[in-house]
Amino acid sequence: MSSSPGRSIEVDLLRGIALIVIAIDHISVSVLAHAMLHNYAYCDAAEVFVFLGGYASAAGYTSIAARGGEAAARRRFARRAWEIYRAYLLTAALMIASGAIVAALPIASPLVGQSGWPMFAHRPARALIDIATLRQQPFLSAVLPMYLLFALSISFAIPLARRMPVACFALSLAMWLAAPWLAACLPGVAEWPFNPFAWQLLFMLGLLCRLYPVPVRMQTSTAGHLLTAAALAVALAFAFVKVCIDTRPSPGFMKQNLASVRVVSFLALAWLCAQAARAGWLRTAAERLPAVVAVGRQGLVCFVGGTLVSIAADTVVRLLHAEGNGVARLTSDIAAVAALLLLARLAQAYQRAEAAAPRMAPAARPVRVTSSVPPPPARRER
């Protein structure tokens, strides 16, 4: 969620992969979606992105605080919260507009009902108020209000985690356990697709992992090897159950309130990823996939753009009546990934040009040369 000069290329790679997977998962006619994480584990790219969001936020906050003080870090994350809120409003507007466009097309798409367009068409003023106050969150914009709350909480969570890490984790765990009841106490939060009181657990775990990384000595010890073996066993067992036994999608409430089985599934995979990072495999992959790393570094832009990419890919396939054509569906997946990579590259180029503009501005101004030597006297005509 935040930027820092010393950011981890491995984290950016994983964030980029998560964003690409999120885009593919929301193409309802996707072929590649059948190979994505949610088919082999009880978690998906959302858990990955929230955890890494906490990790990156802790890295960004501490880096800014080290250079400019705690006040500068608090101001930066207050601005970040405002950026996320604006991105949420933009995404909600894009969802409603997309729903209106798809509704006018001669196709049957579930997007129309999910987009918020019917609600907006019926009562536009009420819909705008509900969206602005976060009571209604059209389709793919639904994850951003949760991130808005996380960005606002960073200024309190980081100092608390530094002073009392155990108490901070215990408080987060208690909040997760009481999440359904806490959400019911606030108007509209119980209907959020992502209960922030539940999902803050993964965000806080990411934050704590950045502040208190597991020592390499522990990871390579006998206990660390046993933990790796246990994580691998859990991941393989869940994959077997998902593929061979429980082939139906998990109920929505399991994701909304972050069920314990999702937490266990994610933690097993997270530990295995940590071992891959320690072995240098993730860094090697990141160096060979700079385009994917760029997606991770342009997280907010690529998330918002990815929502449109998903809808466009899905709609084009339906317009061509190619839902049963595997080649057409796979082509739409590849086009969606390529569009996301291109968007990240354009956003990165714009960011660099904007950063370079102030340095070029003084050189672009004409320089007036003055001299203290008086001019020669004018030559008299004879």
Side-chain angles (χ1 to χ4, degrees):
M1 292 173 61
S2 57
S3 302
S4 70
R7 61 190 304 159
S8 165
I9 191 174
E10 295 93 339
V11 170
D12 286 329
L13 173 70
L14 293 174
R15 280 160 58 90
I17 293 172
L19 282 164
I20 291 171
V21 171
I22 289 170
I24 291 173
D25 281 345
H26 287 101
I27 302 174
S28 63
V29 295
S30 171
V31 171
L32 293 180
H34 296 290
M36 295 299 109
L37 182 62
H38 67 273
N39 290 298
Y40 305 97
Y42 279 96
C43 60
D44 57 30
E47 279 88 351
V48 177
F49 201 67
V50 171
F51 176 86
L52 294 177
Y55 189 99
S57 293
Y61 186 96
T62 54
S63 176
I64 296 169
R67 297 193 313 269
E70 296 284 334
R74 287 194 294 269
R75 287 194 300 271
R76 176 66 188 95
F77 274 83
R79 291 197 305 272
R80 185 60 171 170
W82 173 238
E83 291 169 4
I84 294 172
Y85 181 69
R86 289 186 299 170
Y88 158 71
L89 294 180
L90 174 60
T91 308
L94 292 173
M95 293 300 99
I96 292 173
S98 299
I101 293 170
V102 175
L105 297 174
I107 58 174
S109 174
L111 169 67
V112 177
Q114 298 168 341
S115 67
W117 166 246
M119 171 191 66
F120 180 81
H122 181 59
R123 299 180 64 185
R126 182 63 187 175
L128 289 176
I129 293 172
D130 286 346
I131 290 170
T133 56
L134 310 181
R135 292 179 65 90
Q136 297 291 335
Q137 301 161 15
F139 197 26
L140 300 179
S141 68
V143 71
L144 292 175
M146 176 177 68
Y147 274 104
L148 168 63
L149 297 182
F150 292 164
L152 290 172
S153 69
I154 279 291
S155 298
F156 307 99
I158 294 283
L160 178 62
R162 280 172 163 171
R163 290 195 303 269
M164 298 179 290
V166 176
C168 186
F169 175 70
L171 178 62
S172 177
L173 188 63
M175 194 178 298
W176 170 66
L177 292 171
W181 293 274
L182 291 172
C185 295
L186 295 177
V189 176
E191 284 75 43
W192 286 23
F194 294 87
N195 183 344
F197 295 109
W199 282 80
Q200 55 76 32
L201 177 66
L202 285 182
F203 189 85
M204 185 59 67
L205 284 173
L207 185 151
L208 290 171
C209 284
R210 179 62 181 85
L211 295 178
Y212 304 98
V214 179
V216 174
R217 182 181 300 176
M218 185 273 164
Q219 297 183 52
T220 56
S221 67
T222 302
H225 291 317
L226 289 174
L227 196 55
T228 301
L232 182 60
V234 169
L236 291 175
F238 281 171
F240 175 78
V241 172
K242 288 287 288 184
V243 173
C244 302
I245 301 174
D246 185 16
T247 57
R248 295 171 299 174
S250 302
F253 71 87
M254 286 185 64
K255 187 167 187 176
Q256 180 189 30
N257 293 308
L258 192 61
S260 56
V261 67
R262 296 183 70 97
V263 176
V264 173
S265 182
F266 169 76
L267 290 178
L269 295 173
W271 180 262
L272 296 176
C273 280
Q275 301 317 300
R278 179 182 58 79
W281 300 343
L282 288 184
R283 173 167 286 275
T284 300
E287 290 170 350
R288 294 179 179 177
L289 298 169
V292 179
V293 172
V295 173
R297 289 180 174 168
Q298 302 296 327
L300 194 57
V301 172
C302 287
F303 176 82
V304 177
T307 62
L308 279 185
V309 167
S310 300
I311 292 170
D314 190 87
T315 303
V316 168
V317 172
R318 292 179 183 277
L319 273 174
L320 297 174
H321 302 290
E323 294 93 333
N325 187 325
V327 174
R329 293 162 57 198
L330 180 59
T331 301
S332 74
D333 288 341
I334 295 172
V337 174
L340 207 53
L341 297 177
L342 177 61
L343 176 63
R345 187 169 183 176
L346 292 175
Q348 206 168 49
Y350 174 80
Q351 202 173 58
R352 287 171 180 167
E354 194 176 44
R359 293 195 298 270
M360 294 173 63
R365 290 195 296 264
V367 179
R368 185 177 179 181
V369 180
T370 59
S371 174
S372 58
V373 180
R379 188 175 179 181
R380 299 179 69 181
E381 296 287 344
R382 289 187 179 179

